[in-house]
Structures are given as structure tokens and as C-alpha cells.
Amino acid sequence: MPPLPDLPAPDQPAAALAAVVALRRLAGQLELAAVDEAIRQGWTWAQVGQALGISAQAAHKKFAPMTRERRS
């Protein structure tokens, strides 16, 4: 993963908020890739949920459709 660029200061709200959006997207991509890899390695939904601080059911509901889609 490439290093993060310098982030704008909060006194530059347009640039700072654009950076927040970009970081959220990046975090979502990393989260999905990590969950997908964990499932490929045989992790249970309970383990995934615990690692993310959510229940197994919440992890499964959020990620199972996307992980299946990535494998097809």
C-alpha cells in the first residue's frame, strides 16, 4: 500500500473533507480485501467479526455477498 500523502489541515475545509472521503473509500477497500482474504484462509465469521469489533452475524451480513461476488 502506498504511503499516505500529507493531509490538509482542518482550516482548509474543502480539501480536508475531500481527504476524509478518500480515506473512507480506501479504508473500505482495505477492509473488504482483508475480510475476503481472511475467509479464503479459513477464518470463521466469528473471527472476522471479533477482529472488526462486530458480531459474526453483522460481519456475515455486511461482507458475505461481496466476498462471494469477488470469487465469482
Side-chain angles (χ1 to χ4, degrees), residues 4 6 21 28 46 59-61:
L4 291 176
D6 289 335
V21 171
H60 185 267
K61 182 177 180 180

Side-chain angles (χ1 to χ4, degrees), residues 6-25:
D6 289 335
L7 298 176
D11 64 354
Q12 302 169 17
L17 292 170
V20 167
V21 171
L23 288 168
R24 284 182 181 155
R25 273 194 200 116

